[in-house]
């Protein structure tokens, strides 16, 4: 199987690419900037330069000769890019398109409608596919590090609602397992972490790990939006506030068995993730 990985300079795509490399595969990666991709992977991957926004014929050339495509599109216009990529995949004869999607494609919360439209376009293209509908990433908690270091506090509009963040390594393990699987097609796989926790519980666990108490302070949706707009564009900031509101209202506490079903082992815990990332919060990493 010849794999083409998109988003290989980002969070999940890079984990998928390195897992395939460690498994003895020689994946292709599609990147807008070939030099950036080369810095990540040296000569260990075949780099195809291209833009997921198209045009379709150029993307189809970039996909040529590959059989399985791992697709990551981001932002409010991701459905248009998913549609373009699906057409290019069909032209290039891709046999399995695996899209990194979100659990919220089902719930309609936050970025969910963007991904739901992308999924519909892929289904309509007729390209055999799998949608990995993931919960929010544990690595989102890295965005808490500044206020933990500066104020000794986390400010959040999620109240005491819970969410089962998933370890990025589990998402990548599932993606590789799905990509390398020969038979199952045209399905969605819902994956979450093993336990729904509140932001207060998660930040308390980080505080325990670094040996310093961290305050948890609830803020309003308006305050959360103002904070998000300091680093995100408005559509994404509004999607985040929608997600945080849903957490607060108990609408995102789903725990699925998807990781265990796909991998035959339980998902990694938030405690595992803290151990690996404690340095980001001012603690000393116990393992990488
Ligand atoms: N964070 C969460 O909690 C969460 C939860 C559920 C689902 N998701 C979904 O996960 C996805 C994000 O995954 P991630 O965090 O791994 O992504 P990421 O780290 O933001 O990386 C995005 C990647 O896409 C590439 N890219 C962006 N636009 C491109 C274009 N036009 N053509 C080619 N490549 C392009 C970037 O390459 P460059 O190096 O060129 O920028 C980068 O490699 C989104 O679809 C998001 O909705 C996230």
């Amino acid at each position: 199987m010849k794999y083409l990985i998109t988003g290989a300079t980002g969070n999940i795509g890079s984990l998928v690419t390195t897992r395939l490399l460690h498994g003895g595969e020689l994946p292709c990666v599609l990147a807008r900037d070939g030099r950036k991709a080369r810095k990540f992977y040296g000569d260990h991957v075949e780099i195809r330069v291209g833009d997921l926004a198209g045009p379709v014929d150029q993307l189809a050339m970039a996909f040529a000769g590959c059989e399985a495509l791992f697709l990551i599109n981001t932002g409010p216009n991701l459905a248009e890019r998913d549609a373009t990529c699906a057409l290019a995949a069909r032209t290039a004869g891709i046999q399995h398109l695996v899209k990194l999607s979100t659990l919220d494609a089902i719930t309609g919360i936050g970025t969910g409608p963007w991904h739901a439209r992308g999924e519909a376009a892929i289904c309509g293209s007729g390209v055999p596919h799998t949608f990995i509908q993931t919960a929010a990433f544990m690595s989102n908690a890295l965005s808490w590090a500044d206020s933990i270091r500066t104020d000794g506090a986390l400010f959040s509009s999620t109240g005491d609602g819970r969410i089962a963040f998933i370890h990025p390594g589990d998402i990548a393990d599932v993606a590789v397992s799905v990509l390398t699987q020969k038979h199952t097609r045209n399905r969605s796989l819902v994956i979450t972490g093993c336990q729904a926790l509140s932001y207060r519980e998660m930040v308390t666990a980080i505080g325990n790990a670094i040996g310093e108490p961290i305050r948890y302070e609830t803020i309003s949706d308006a305050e959360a939006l103002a904070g998000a707009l300091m680093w995100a564009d408005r559509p994404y900031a509004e999607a985040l506030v929608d997600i945080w509101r849903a957490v607060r209202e108990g609408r995102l506490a789903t725990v699925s068995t998807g990781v265990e079903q796909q991998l035959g082992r339980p998902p990694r815990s938030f405690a595992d993730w803290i151990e690996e990332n404690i340095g980001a919060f001012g603690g000393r990493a116990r393992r990488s």
Side-chain angles (χ1 to χ4, degrees):
M1 197 67 124
K2 188 84 176 164
Y3 304 97
L4 181 71
I5 310 303
T6 69
T9 53
N11 297 317
I12 305 301
S14 62
L15 296 177
V16 170
T17 304
T18 49
R19 278 160 169 72
L20 287 170
L21 284 169
H22 290 152
E25 302 290 347
L26 179 66
C28 297
V29 306
L30 180 124
R32 287 184 286 194
D33 179 347
R35 279 176 306 178
K36 183 173 177 183
R38 187 66 70 202
K39 275 190 192 147
F40 269 72
Y41 302 108
D43 293 329
H44 298 292
V45 300
E46 183 187 329
I47 294 171
R48 308 266 177 105
V49 175
D51 193 311
L52 294 169
V56 171
D57 53 348
Q58 284 183 17
L59 260 186
M61 279 194 283
F63 292 173
C66 297
E67 293 151 290
L69 168 67
F70 183 58
L71 182 62
I72 295 182
N73 272 311
T74 63
N77 300 322
L78 69 84
E80 285 74 18
R81 287 197 298 282
D82 279 354
T84 298
C85 293
L87 292 178
R90 189 172 67 192
T91 305
I94 294 284
Q95 293 163 25
H96 192 194
L97 187 164
V98 179
K99 169 179 161 61
L100 181 65
S101 185
T102 170
L103 174 60
D104 294 333
I106 307 165
T107 64
I109 295 163
T111 63
W114 309 346
H115 280 286
R117 287 197 297 276
E119 291 184 1
I122 292 166
C123 287
S125 74
V127 177
H129 58 267
T130 302
F131 302 138
I132 300 180
Q133 295 175 327
T134 178
F137 307 170
M138 290 179 184
S139 46
N140 294 351
L142 291 172
S143 68
W144 306 346
D146 277 351
S147 80
I148 289 174
R149 282 173 179 272
T150 310
D151 302 311
L154 174 64
F155 304 89
S156 168
S157 56
T158 57
D160 283 309
R162 292 193 163 96
I163 184 164
F165 279 176
I166 183 167
H167 194 297
D170 285 339
I171 303 172
D173 286 343
V174 166
V176 169
S177 164
V178 167
L179 280 164
T180 52
Q181 201 169 54
K182 295 246 175 332
H183 304 300
T184 317
R185 299 289 185 266
N186 299 338
R187 65 171 181 149
S188 300
L189 183 59
V190 175
I191 55 171
T192 72
C194 54
Q195 188 184 17
L197 296 168
S198 69
Y199 279 36
R200 187 195 300 276
E201 289 167 328
M202 289 189 271
V203 86
T204 299
I206 293 170
N208 291 340
I210 63 173
E212 286 173 27
I214 302 169
R215 290 190 331 281
Y216 177 76
E217 295 196 12
T218 297
I219 57 174
S220 67
D221 285 348
E223 289 168 318
L225 180 63
L229 282 170
M230 293 177 76
W231 56 272
D233 58 27
R234 180 162 286 273
Y236 189 51
E238 288 178 345
L240 287 173
V241 174
D242 195 37
I243 291 167
W244 296 330
R245 184 187 306 113
V247 173
R248 184 176 71 234
E249 294 173 353
R251 291 183 281 127
L252 270 179
T254 311
V255 176
S256 86
T257 54
V259 170
E260 184 133 28
Q261 278 174 10
Q262 186 65 35
L263 300 178
R265 62 155 178 86
R268 298 168 173 94
S269 68
F270 191 63
D272 293 333
W273 183 87
I274 294 173
E275 270 195 29
E276 295 160 11
N277 292 278
I278 197 67
F281 302 99
R284 185 174 297 174
R286 282 190 280 272
R287 63 186 160 92
S288 61

